[in-house]
Amino acid sequence: MEQRPYWLWQALATDDGDPAPALVSDTRAQLCIIGGGFTGLWTAILAKQARPDLDVLVLEADVCGGGASGRNGGCALTWSTKFFTLQRLFGDAEAVRLVRASEQALLDIEAFCAEHSIDCEWRRHGTLFTATSQAQLGASDAVVAALEAHGINSWQKMPPHELQRRAGSRAHLEGWYSPVAASVQPGKLVRGLRRVALGLGVQLHEGTPMRGLEEGSPPVVRTPHGKVTADRVVIAINAWMASSFREFERSIAIVSSDMVITEPAAAALAASGLDGGISVLDSRIFVHYYRSTPDGRLMFGKGGNTFAYGGRMLPVFNQPSPYREELAGRLRGFIPELAGTPIAASWNGASDRSVTGLPFFGCLRGRPDVFYGFGYSGNGVGPSRMGGELLSSLALGLDNEWTRSPLLRGPLGRFPPEPIRYVGSLMVRNAIRRKEAAEDSGRRPFLPDVMLSRFAAAAGKADKA
């Protein structure tokens, strides 16, 4: 049974805009964008703001927000904790620039929402990265020291009592706080972007999937009932890239992120201390994350549950989470005050995990008129604004810091081929679960790091293939 994720269901219930018609004929546009989520809509909006006369057309297979943009946790985070990866891949200067750009992206989203009256429950109350077991202690020390050394540190260590007060839970043993983060109702944000894009004159066709992209110039996008001939095309379909373009099948792993949300429980949340917009994330590999909502609910999620074979989009990614009861139990373990609060809804979605944990961008098959960007790896709310900056700059033919960024090198690694990747991913997932269960109980895990390193080595060898 297909199900709208809670955020999108809530947003659509209060959205008085009419559905955009499907494309039923052949047409032409200067810029055609495939995908009506955060990346596609930011690209359309920024391109139209820079060039109001530009003829921009967006094709969306479902409704805007039907993919990851309407079903994520609503935690708007920066790239500061990815500094070591950025530094290793791109060098000091670009790593520093991208951390700063990721922070500016949040400020830009906030200002944009205020300017255009997008009521998306945006609350820039910061985030906590924590340790919930002895094994996780000190996990963030090195990256915070590196950020400090480069003059870009926003993190401060919290005394345990203050950490537990802000997180609303005594499960946290250690933690760092950054004020540069926000929580948001993502369904309302994507619907707000849709409204602004239409107001700027962007043409939108929902219920219109891309069926193919013809070779040759100018590019032609085929849909079930028409074609779009465009001067330039931007493909912003994220996790669907692996099944749409075979060359990307090994560039990402499709992994679920599963979420539950409670019925309103403002008094219980206030009793726990968690009644603001702060987001809380632990230091697990498959991270737990949670935050409250303005109407007194708690959203709780966890990644790394369901893996797709060969980049295929599984039906479960558009259904209630099969891990609902497990998530509910973990939620109550973190915040016992909510033990008697019913779960209102559960959902999950496909996350496009890259080898580096960062998105990548490029020209499709070397074509100078077709661009793509995906691989947000579970952190897309804020970085998708950066993706829009980069892709709109490419579409407009600009020469700037975005079009000169090494993010444009395409995928910087590949996963092993199937069935090695799928079998390996299940082995790693199970090893991680055993490792974390052992850490939670204070026991020593049984060689999980060896298994993880072997899988990483296999990915590295495949990268050179």
Side-chain angles (χ1 to χ4, degrees), residues 118-438:
I118 298 176
D119 182 11
C120 60
E121 301 172 13
W122 181 269
R123 295 185 292 174
R124 185 157 50 93
H125 293 176
T127 190
L128 288 165
F129 275 178
T130 78
T132 55
S133 71
Q134 292 293 321
Q136 295 174 17
L137 295 176
S140 301
D141 291 357
V143 70
V144 172
L147 293 168
E148 185 69 32
H150 287 81
I152 52 172
N153 182 42
S154 67
W155 297 89
Q156 55 182 304
K157 199 163 192 177
M158 292 281 99
H161 68 280
E162 178 67 7
L163 166 69
Q164 293 175 3
R165 184 189 70 80
R166 292 198 188 194
S169 172
R170 292 180 290 278
H172 305 281
L173 308 178
E174 177 184 77
W176 296 82
Y177 169 75
S178 172
V180 192
S183 61
V184 64
Q185 209 285 26
K188 292 183 178 180
L189 174 57
V190 72
R191 300 301 293 183
L193 295 180
R194 176 187 185 274
R195 171 176 59 79
V196 173
L198 290 172
L200 290 171
V202 172
Q203 301 175 65
L204 172 64
H205 294 285
E206 294 174 304
T208 306
M210 175 182 66
R211 290 292 188 233
L213 180 66
E214 296 181 4
E215 299 292 338
S217 186
V220 176
V221 180
R222 289 187 284 107
T223 75
H225 304 292
K227 296 180 179 180
V228 180
T229 302
D231 296 334
R232 296 193 174 187
V233 171
V234 167
I235 306 174
I237 57 176
N238 299 307
W240 281 262
M241 284 293 286
S243 55
S244 299
F245 297 94
R246 191 168 183 178
E247 60 262 50
F248 295 118
E249 184 178 306
R250 289 170 54 192
S251 299
I252 55 173
I254 309 299
V255 186
S256 77
S257 192
D258 296 71
M259 285 148 275
V260 294
I261 193 165
T262 69
E263 295 287 358
L269 278 177
S272 77
L274 186 76
D275 55 357
I278 197 170
S279 58
V280 185
L281 300 89
D282 66 14
S283 300
R284 290 170 178 261
I285 295 174
F286 295 144
V287 63
H288 292 114
Y289 53 94
Y290 64 87
R291 51 87 168 193
S292 67
T293 66
D295 63 348
R297 302 173 187 267
L298 186 83
M299 185 285 304
F300 187 93
K302 187 177 188 296
N305 293 309
T306 302
F307 289 76
Y309 185 94
R312 300 170 186 167
M313 299 302 295
L314 304 176
V316 71
F317 291 145
N318 202 31
Q319 295 173 358
S321 171
Y323 297 91
R324 173 185 170 127
E325 294 309 314
E326 178 182 331
L327 291 172
R330 290 183 179 273
L331 180 159
R332 291 158 185 153
F334 272 92
I335 305 181
E337 289 85 353
L338 294 175
T341 304
I343 299 297
S346 75
W347 67 97
N348 79 139
S351 176
D352 46 339
R353 302 276 172 166
S354 70
V355 172
T356 65
L358 293 167
F360 50 87
F361 304 82
C363 300
L364 183 69
R365 299 166 185 166
R367 299 177 63 169
D369 48 12
V370 181
F371 315 109
Y372 66 82
F374 63 108
Y376 289 98
S377 302
N379 179 17
V381 178
S384 63
R385 165 78 188 205
M386 300 162 66
E389 294 272 10
L390 193 155
L391 291 168
S392 63
S393 295
L394 282 175
L396 296 173
L398 304 181
D399 177 17
N400 59 23
E401 60 187 2
W402 289 111
T403 56
R404 294 190 296 268
S405 173
L407 287 171
L408 264 169
R409 295 176 184 167
L412 297 179
R414 291 193 293 170
F415 290 99
E418 300 292 12
I420 297 172
R421 176 177 58 179
Y422 183 72
V423 173
S425 67
L426 295 182
M427 291 175 63
V428 170
R429 182 194 65 183
N430 293 337
I432 290 171
R433 287 180 172 177
R434 289 194 296 270
K435 174 180 185 289
E436 292 174 343

Side-chain angles (χ1 to χ4, degrees), residues 84-91 356 358 406 409 412:
F84 285 144
T85 301
L86 294 167
Q87 187 182 47
R88 173 175 58 84
L89 294 174
F90 307 137
T356 65
L358 293 167
R409 295 176 184 167
L412 297 179

Side-chain angles (χ1 to χ4, degrees), residues 53-76:
D53 62 325
L54 191 70
D55 181 21
V56 180
L57 183 148
V58 174
L59 300 177
E60 165 55 44
D62 187 12
V63 298
C64 289
S69 299
R71 62 179 67 241
N72 58 79
C75 302

Side-chain angles (χ1 to χ4, degrees), residues 37-56:
F38 287 148
T39 299
L41 290 174
W42 279 124
T43 301
I45 289 167
L46 293 170
K48 282 292 284 187
Q49 288 181 327
R51 286 266 312 275
D53 62 325
L54 191 70
D55 181 21
V56 180

